[in-house]
Amino acid sequence: MISLRGLKRLNRYENRLYKIARLAGDLGQLKQVGYSRKSKNGFRFPVYALTLGKKSAVRKYPVGLVAGVHGLETVGVRVLLDFLESIFAEPGQVLKDLKKGKFAIVCIPILNPGGVAMKRRSNPDGVDLMRNSGVDGESAMAFFGGQKLSPHLPYYRGKSLQPESRTLFAFIREHLFSARSSLIPVLDIHSGFGMRDSLWWPYAGKTEPCPDQNLYERTARILCQDQPGIVPESQSDAYTIHGDLWDFLYSEFQALNRKPRFLPFTLEIGTWAEIKKEPGRLLSRRGLFNPPPESKAETILRYRAFLERFVRLNELY
Ligand SMILES: [Zn+2]
């Protein structure tokens, strides 16, 4: 069911996206790159992508940012929109760099708009997009790691690659796979899991270290320098799952044998500490996946600095 509150929320986020594109002027381009899976009453939600930067930098030095993969984890969407807006509302180093063409930002701020409108984690067909790539995990956690039993239960893997997953794959291949910078970073922002924040890298589906493990460790140290609250680790150190979209893209890029390193990261904003302070939040679905309103504003500001470092990674390295 599409919820009126969910729809209004989605509308608010999309309006902010239009506003950011307007603020960016010549440096910004907003376009529709796909559609969500149809809801039961036949509604498809557009998926938008925003690119910020000079055309040549978009082609050569892109940095990827993604949020809203899970429809309930709206704090991730807000963290991303806040950062993008702050680039123009409070101009600083990032805007200078964008104008000079040092890098460009390519992003999909709400990959799962149907999930946001329907106030659910999955897409409109009940598929958990972060279990949907089709890759079988090794020793993945039972149920939570992805299940094929029913779309009416959480963590459903789906029978085929969903339109939202296809949209992400096409976008990443088009914008990041032929980049010329030595590091091609992309950050996917989630919220919910854990007592503290985590910065994860592949693999999510197996415990063996990925070929870029050392590079990831070094890079994470740079990113988390002034962020003691964020703990960097390989995702499988937390848990393993089936069908991780980033594992799929990472392995696909590895097979291209290109010299640059494609580095997908996941930022998981932990909200369980908030639940410990206020156990009633366990009873609300949104409460489980998002910090309470009073600390939400603080959370959003805290990540601005982190995202600034993230987009400037090639300069800082
Ligand atoms: Zn998530």
Short mmCIF file of all heavy atoms in Angstrom, two decimals, residues 130-175:
data_model
loop_
_atom_site.label_atom_id
_atom_site.label_comp_id
_atom_site.label_asym_id
_atom_site.label_seq_id
_atom_site.Cartn_x
_atom_site.Cartn_y
_atom_site.Cartn_z
N MET A 130 19.07 -5.01 -1.60
CA MET A 130 20.44 -5.37 -1.21
C MET A 130 20.61 -6.87 -1.01
O MET A 130 21.62 -7.33 -0.49
CB MET A 130 20.86 -4.57 0.03
CG MET A 130 22.36 -4.28 0.15
SD MET A 130 23.28 -4.10 -1.40
CE MET A 130 23.14 -2.35 -1.73
N ARG A 131 19.62 -7.66 -1.45
CA ARG A 131 19.74 -9.12 -1.50
C ARG A 131 19.46 -9.61 -2.92
O ARG A 131 19.26 -10.78 -3.16
CB ARG A 131 18.71 -9.79 -0.56
CG ARG A 131 18.74 -9.32 0.89
CD ARG A 131 19.94 -9.84 1.65
NE ARG A 131 19.87 -9.50 3.06
CZ ARG A 131 20.28 -8.35 3.58
NH1 ARG A 131 20.79 -7.41 2.80
NH2 ARG A 131 20.19 -8.12 4.89
N ASN A 132 19.43 -8.70 -3.89
CA ASN A 132 18.82 -8.99 -5.20
C ASN A 132 19.79 -9.23 -6.35
O ASN A 132 19.37 -9.50 -7.47
CB ASN A 132 17.87 -7.81 -5.55
CG ASN A 132 17.14 -7.99 -6.86
OD1 ASN A 132 17.19 -7.11 -7.73
ND2 ASN A 132 16.50 -9.11 -7.05
N SER A 133 21.11 -9.17 -6.12
CA SER A 133 22.03 -9.23 -7.28
C SER A 133 22.09 -10.61 -7.93
O SER A 133 22.58 -10.76 -9.03
CB SER A 133 23.45 -8.83 -6.85
OG SER A 133 24.09 -9.92 -6.21
N GLY A 134 21.59 -11.64 -7.24
CA GLY A 134 21.62 -12.98 -7.81
C GLY A 134 22.84 -13.78 -7.38
O GLY A 134 22.89 -14.99 -7.57
N VAL A 135 23.84 -13.11 -6.77
CA VAL A 135 25.04 -13.82 -6.30
C VAL A 135 24.70 -14.59 -5.01
O VAL A 135 24.09 -14.03 -4.10
CB VAL A 135 26.18 -12.81 -5.98
CG1 VAL A 135 27.40 -13.54 -5.45
CG2 VAL A 135 26.53 -11.98 -7.19
N ASP A 136 25.06 -15.86 -4.97
CA ASP A 136 24.87 -16.62 -3.74
C ASP A 136 26.02 -16.35 -2.78
O ASP A 136 27.18 -16.48 -3.17
CB ASP A 136 24.84 -18.13 -4.02
CG ASP A 136 23.51 -18.56 -4.62
OD1 ASP A 136 22.48 -17.99 -4.22
OD2 ASP A 136 23.51 -19.46 -5.49
N GLY A 137 25.70 -15.96 -1.56
CA GLY A 137 26.75 -15.75 -0.57
C GLY A 137 27.26 -17.09 -0.05
O GLY A 137 26.55 -18.09 -0.12
N GLU A 138 28.52 -17.08 0.43
CA GLU A 138 29.03 -18.30 1.08
C GLU A 138 28.78 -18.15 2.57
O GLU A 138 29.10 -17.12 3.14
CB GLU A 138 30.55 -18.43 0.83
CG GLU A 138 30.90 -18.80 -0.60
CD GLU A 138 32.39 -18.61 -0.89
OE1 GLU A 138 33.18 -18.57 0.07
OE2 GLU A 138 32.72 -18.50 -2.08
N SER A 139 28.24 -19.16 3.17
CA SER A 139 27.89 -19.17 4.59
C SER A 139 27.14 -17.88 5.00
O SER A 139 27.42 -17.27 6.02
CB SER A 139 29.13 -19.35 5.47
OG SER A 139 30.05 -18.28 5.31
N ALA A 140 26.18 -17.48 4.14
CA ALA A 140 25.38 -16.29 4.46
C ALA A 140 24.45 -16.62 5.62
O ALA A 140 24.02 -17.76 5.79
CB ALA A 140 24.55 -15.88 3.24
N MET A 141 24.15 -15.60 6.42
CA MET A 141 23.27 -15.80 7.57
C MET A 141 21.90 -16.29 7.11
O MET A 141 21.35 -15.77 6.15
CB MET A 141 23.10 -14.48 8.31
CG MET A 141 24.18 -14.21 9.33
SD MET A 141 23.91 -12.59 10.06
CE MET A 141 22.59 -12.97 11.21
N ALA A 142 21.35 -17.27 7.81
CA ALA A 142 20.02 -17.78 7.46
C ALA A 142 19.01 -16.65 7.61
O ALA A 142 19.10 -15.83 8.51
CB ALA A 142 19.66 -18.94 8.37
N PHE A 143 18.05 -16.61 6.71
CA PHE A 143 16.95 -15.65 6.68
C PHE A 143 17.41 -14.21 6.51
O PHE A 143 17.22 -13.62 5.45
CB PHE A 143 16.06 -15.79 7.93
CG PHE A 143 14.77 -15.05 7.78
CD1 PHE A 143 13.82 -15.46 6.83
CD2 PHE A 143 14.50 -13.92 8.54
CE1 PHE A 143 12.63 -14.75 6.66
CE2 PHE A 143 13.31 -13.22 8.37
CZ PHE A 143 12.37 -13.64 7.43
N PHE A 144 18.05 -13.62 7.51
CA PHE A 144 18.50 -12.22 7.44
C PHE A 144 19.45 -12.01 6.24
O PHE A 144 19.48 -10.95 5.62
CB PHE A 144 19.20 -11.84 8.75
CG PHE A 144 19.87 -10.50 8.71
CD1 PHE A 144 19.11 -9.33 8.78
CD2 PHE A 144 21.25 -10.39 8.58
CE1 PHE A 144 19.73 -8.08 8.73
CE2 PHE A 144 21.87 -9.15 8.54
CZ PHE A 144 21.09 -7.99 8.62
N GLY A 145 20.21 -13.05 5.92
CA GLY A 145 21.15 -12.96 4.80
C GLY A 145 20.48 -13.03 3.44
O GLY A 145 21.14 -12.94 2.41
N GLY A 146 19.16 -13.16 3.42
CA GLY A 146 18.41 -13.25 2.17
C GLY A 146 17.65 -14.55 2.09
O GLY A 146 18.21 -15.61 2.36
N GLN A 147 16.33 -14.47 1.73
CA GLN A 147 15.52 -15.70 1.67
C GLN A 147 14.71 -15.72 0.37
O GLN A 147 14.41 -14.67 -0.19
CB GLN A 147 14.62 -15.80 2.91
CG GLN A 147 13.76 -14.56 3.22
CD GLN A 147 12.42 -14.53 2.51
OE1 GLN A 147 11.99 -15.51 1.92
NE2 GLN A 147 11.76 -13.37 2.55
N LYS A 148 14.40 -16.95 -0.08
CA LYS A 148 13.64 -17.10 -1.32
C LYS A 148 12.23 -17.62 -1.05
O LYS A 148 11.54 -18.07 -1.95
CB LYS A 148 14.37 -18.08 -2.25
CG LYS A 148 15.60 -17.47 -2.92
CD LYS A 148 16.25 -18.46 -3.86
CE LYS A 148 17.31 -17.77 -4.72
NZ LYS A 148 18.07 -18.73 -5.52
N LEU A 149 11.81 -17.58 0.22
CA LEU A 149 10.52 -18.17 0.59
C LEU A 149 9.33 -17.33 0.13
O LEU A 149 8.43 -17.81 -0.52
CB LEU A 149 10.45 -18.35 2.12
CG LEU A 149 11.55 -19.18 2.76
CD1 LEU A 149 11.51 -19.05 4.28
CD2 LEU A 149 11.39 -20.64 2.34
N SER A 150 9.35 -16.05 0.47
CA SER A 150 8.17 -15.23 0.21
C SER A 150 8.48 -13.73 0.24
O SER A 150 9.20 -13.25 1.10
CB SER A 150 7.12 -15.53 1.29
OG SER A 150 6.16 -14.50 1.34
N PRO A 151 7.86 -12.99 -0.72
CA PRO A 151 8.01 -11.52 -0.71
C PRO A 151 7.27 -10.88 0.46
O PRO A 151 7.42 -9.68 0.70
CB PRO A 151 7.39 -11.09 -2.05
CG PRO A 151 6.50 -12.21 -2.46
CD PRO A 151 7.07 -13.47 -1.87
N HIS A 152 6.47 -11.68 1.18
CA HIS A 152 5.75 -11.12 2.32
C HIS A 152 6.59 -11.16 3.60
O HIS A 152 6.18 -10.64 4.64
CB HIS A 152 4.42 -11.86 2.54
CG HIS A 152 3.55 -11.79 1.32
ND1 HIS A 152 3.01 -10.61 0.87
CD2 HIS A 152 3.18 -12.74 0.42
CE1 HIS A 152 2.32 -10.84 -0.24
NE2 HIS A 152 2.42 -12.13 -0.54
N LEU A 153 7.76 -11.80 3.50
CA LEU A 153 8.69 -11.81 4.63
C LEU A 153 9.86 -10.90 4.28
O LEU A 153 10.17 -10.69 3.12
CB LEU A 153 9.20 -13.23 4.88
CG LEU A 153 8.15 -14.26 5.27
CD1 LEU A 153 8.73 -15.67 5.25
CD2 LEU A 153 7.58 -13.94 6.65
N PRO A 154 10.54 -10.34 5.31
CA PRO A 154 11.68 -9.46 5.01
C PRO A 154 12.85 -10.21 4.37
O PRO A 154 12.92 -11.43 4.44
CB PRO A 154 12.07 -8.88 6.37
CG PRO A 154 11.37 -9.68 7.40
CD PRO A 154 10.24 -10.42 6.75
N TYR A 155 13.75 -9.45 3.75
CA TYR A 155 15.00 -9.96 3.17
C TYR A 155 14.76 -10.90 1.98
O TYR A 155 15.58 -11.76 1.69
CB TYR A 155 15.86 -10.67 4.25
CG TYR A 155 15.93 -9.91 5.55
CD1 TYR A 155 15.42 -10.44 6.73
CD2 TYR A 155 16.49 -8.63 5.59
CE1 TYR A 155 15.46 -9.71 7.91
CE2 TYR A 155 16.52 -7.90 6.76
CZ TYR A 155 16.01 -8.45 7.92
OH TYR A 155 16.03 -7.74 9.08
N TYR A 156 13.63 -10.72 1.28
CA TYR A 156 13.31 -11.54 0.11
C TYR A 156 14.25 -11.18 -1.05
O TYR A 156 14.41 -10.01 -1.38
CB TYR A 156 11.86 -11.31 -0.29
CG TYR A 156 11.41 -12.12 -1.49
CD1 TYR A 156 11.50 -13.51 -1.49
CD2 TYR A 156 10.90 -11.48 -2.63
CE1 TYR A 156 11.09 -14.24 -2.60
CE2 TYR A 156 10.47 -12.22 -3.73
CZ TYR A 156 10.58 -13.60 -3.70
OH TYR A 156 10.18 -14.33 -4.79
N ARG A 157 14.85 -12.21 -1.67
CA ARG A 157 15.86 -11.98 -2.71
C ARG A 157 15.27 -11.67 -4.08
O ARG A 157 15.97 -11.14 -4.94
CB ARG A 157 16.78 -13.21 -2.81
CG ARG A 157 17.56 -13.49 -1.55
CD ARG A 157 18.33 -14.79 -1.64
NE ARG A 157 19.33 -14.74 -2.71
CZ ARG A 157 20.14 -15.74 -3.04
NH1 ARG A 157 20.05 -16.88 -2.38
NH2 ARG A 157 21.01 -15.62 -4.01
N GLY A 158 14.01 -12.06 -4.31
CA GLY A 158 13.38 -11.84 -5.61
C GLY A 158 13.77 -12.93 -6.60
O GLY A 158 14.78 -13.60 -6.44
N LYS A 159 12.93 -13.09 -7.64
CA LYS A 159 13.19 -14.14 -8.63
C LYS A 159 14.03 -13.62 -9.79
O LYS A 159 14.56 -14.38 -10.58
CB LYS A 159 11.87 -14.68 -9.16
CG LYS A 159 11.09 -15.47 -8.11
CD LYS A 159 10.06 -16.37 -8.78
CE LYS A 159 9.39 -17.28 -7.77
NZ LYS A 159 8.11 -16.75 -7.30
N SER A 160 14.09 -12.31 -9.94
CA SER A 160 14.88 -11.73 -11.04
C SER A 160 15.46 -10.40 -10.58
O SER A 160 15.05 -9.85 -9.55
CB SER A 160 13.99 -11.52 -12.25
OG SER A 160 12.97 -10.60 -11.90
N LEU A 161 16.38 -9.89 -11.39
CA LEU A 161 16.98 -8.60 -11.08
C LEU A 161 15.90 -7.52 -11.23
O LEU A 161 15.25 -7.42 -12.27
CB LEU A 161 18.15 -8.34 -12.04
CG LEU A 161 19.13 -7.25 -11.61
CD1 LEU A 161 19.85 -7.63 -10.32
CD2 LEU A 161 20.14 -6.98 -12.72
N GLN A 162 15.68 -6.74 -10.19
CA GLN A 162 14.60 -5.74 -10.16
C GLN A 162 14.98 -4.49 -10.96
O GLN A 162 16.17 -4.19 -11.13
CB GLN A 162 14.31 -5.37 -8.71
CG GLN A 162 13.83 -6.54 -7.88
CD GLN A 162 12.51 -7.10 -8.40
OE1 GLN A 162 11.49 -6.44 -8.34
NE2 GLN A 162 12.54 -8.33 -8.93
N PRO A 163 13.95 -3.75 -11.44
CA PRO A 163 14.24 -2.53 -12.22
C PRO A 163 15.17 -1.56 -11.47
O PRO A 163 16.03 -0.94 -12.08
CB PRO A 163 12.87 -1.90 -12.44
CG PRO A 163 11.88 -2.97 -12.19
CD PRO A 163 12.52 -3.99 -11.30
N GLU A 164 15.00 -1.46 -10.14
CA GLU A 164 15.85 -0.53 -9.37
C GLU A 164 17.30 -1.01 -9.40
O GLU A 164 18.23 -0.20 -9.53
CB GLU A 164 15.36 -0.44 -7.92
CG GLU A 164 13.96 0.14 -7.73
CD GLU A 164 12.87 -0.92 -7.79
OE1 GLU A 164 13.14 -2.04 -8.28
OE2 GLU A 164 11.75 -0.63 -7.34
N SER A 165 17.52 -2.34 -9.25
CA SER A 165 18.88 -2.88 -9.27
C SER A 165 19.50 -2.69 -10.65
O SER A 165 20.67 -2.32 -10.79
CB SER A 165 18.87 -4.37 -8.93
OG SER A 165 18.18 -4.60 -7.72
N ARG A 166 18.68 -2.93 -11.70
CA ARG A 166 19.18 -2.75 -13.07
C ARG A 166 19.56 -1.29 -13.31
O ARG A 166 20.56 -1.00 -13.96
CB ARG A 166 18.10 -3.16 -14.09
CG ARG A 166 17.98 -4.67 -14.28
CD ARG A 166 17.37 -4.98 -15.64
NE ARG A 166 16.05 -4.39 -15.81
CZ ARG A 166 14.91 -4.98 -15.43
NH1 ARG A 166 14.93 -6.18 -14.89
NH2 ARG A 166 13.75 -4.38 -15.62
N THR A 167 18.75 -0.39 -12.76
CA THR A 167 19.03 1.05 -12.91
C THR A 167 20.37 1.39 -12.27
O THR A 167 21.20 2.09 -12.85
CB THR A 167 17.91 1.88 -12.26
OG1 THR A 167 16.69 1.60 -12.93
CG2 THR A 167 18.20 3.37 -12.34
N LEU A 168 20.61 0.85 -11.06
CA LEU A 168 21.89 1.11 -10.38
C LEU A 168 23.06 0.56 -11.20
O LEU A 168 24.06 1.24 -11.42
CB LEU A 168 21.89 0.50 -8.98
CG LEU A 168 23.20 0.72 -8.21
CD1 LEU A 168 23.31 2.18 -7.76
CD2 LEU A 168 23.33 -0.20 -7.01
N PHE A 169 22.92 -0.69 -11.67
CA PHE A 169 24.01 -1.31 -12.43
C PHE A 169 24.34 -0.47 -13.67
O PHE A 169 25.51 -0.19 -13.94
CB PHE A 169 23.62 -2.74 -12.86
CG PHE A 169 23.70 -3.75 -11.74
CD1 PHE A 169 24.05 -3.37 -10.46
CD2 PHE A 169 23.43 -5.09 -11.98
CE1 PHE A 169 24.11 -4.29 -9.42
CE2 PHE A 169 23.51 -6.03 -10.95
CZ PHE A 169 23.84 -5.63 -9.67
N ALA A 170 23.30 -0.08 -14.41
CA ALA A 170 23.52 0.68 -15.65
C ALA A 170 24.19 2.02 -15.33
O ALA A 170 25.11 2.45 -16.02
CB ALA A 170 22.19 0.89 -16.37
N PHE A 171 23.74 2.64 -14.25
CA PHE A 171 24.27 3.96 -13.88
C PHE A 171 25.75 3.86 -13.49
O PHE A 171 26.57 4.67 -13.91
CB PHE A 171 23.45 4.51 -12.71
CG PHE A 171 23.86 5.89 -12.26
CD1 PHE A 171 23.51 7.01 -12.98
CD2 PHE A 171 24.62 6.06 -11.10
CE1 PHE A 171 23.90 8.28 -12.58
CE2 PHE A 171 25.01 7.32 -10.68
CZ PHE A 171 24.65 8.43 -11.42
N ILE A 172 26.08 2.86 -12.68
CA ILE A 172 27.46 2.71 -12.21
C ILE A 172 28.38 2.34 -13.39
O ILE A 172 29.48 2.87 -13.52
CB ILE A 172 27.56 1.64 -11.10
CG1 ILE A 172 26.74 2.07 -9.87
CG2 ILE A 172 29.00 1.33 -10.72
CD1 ILE A 172 27.26 3.29 -9.13
N ARG A 173 27.90 1.43 -14.25
CA ARG A 173 28.73 1.06 -15.41
C ARG A 173 28.97 2.28 -16.30
O ARG A 173 30.09 2.53 -16.73
CB ARG A 173 28.02 -0.02 -16.23
CG ARG A 173 28.08 -1.39 -15.59
CD ARG A 173 27.19 -2.36 -16.35
NE ARG A 173 27.06 -3.61 -15.63
CZ ARG A 173 25.93 -4.32 -15.54
NH1 ARG A 173 24.82 -3.89 -16.14
NH2 ARG A 173 25.90 -5.44 -14.87
N GLU A 174 27.91 3.04 -16.56
CA GLU A 174 28.05 4.18 -17.46
C GLU A 174 28.95 5.27 -16.87
O GLU A 174 29.81 5.81 -17.55
CB GLU A 174 26.66 4.77 -17.77
CG GLU A 174 26.75 5.96 -18.73
CD GLU A 174 25.43 6.71 -18.88
OE1 GLU A 174 24.36 6.14 -18.58
OE2 GLU A 174 25.49 7.90 -19.29
N HIS A 175 28.75 5.56 -15.58
CA HIS A 175 29.43 6.73 -15.02
C HIS A 175 30.76 6.43 -14.33
O HIS A 175 31.60 7.32 -14.22
CB HIS A 175 28.51 7.46 -14.06
CG HIS A 175 27.43 8.23 -14.76
ND1 HIS A 175 27.67 9.45 -15.35
CD2 HIS A 175 26.15 7.92 -14.99
CE1 HIS A 175 26.56 9.88 -15.91
NE2 HIS A 175 25.62 8.97 -15.72
#
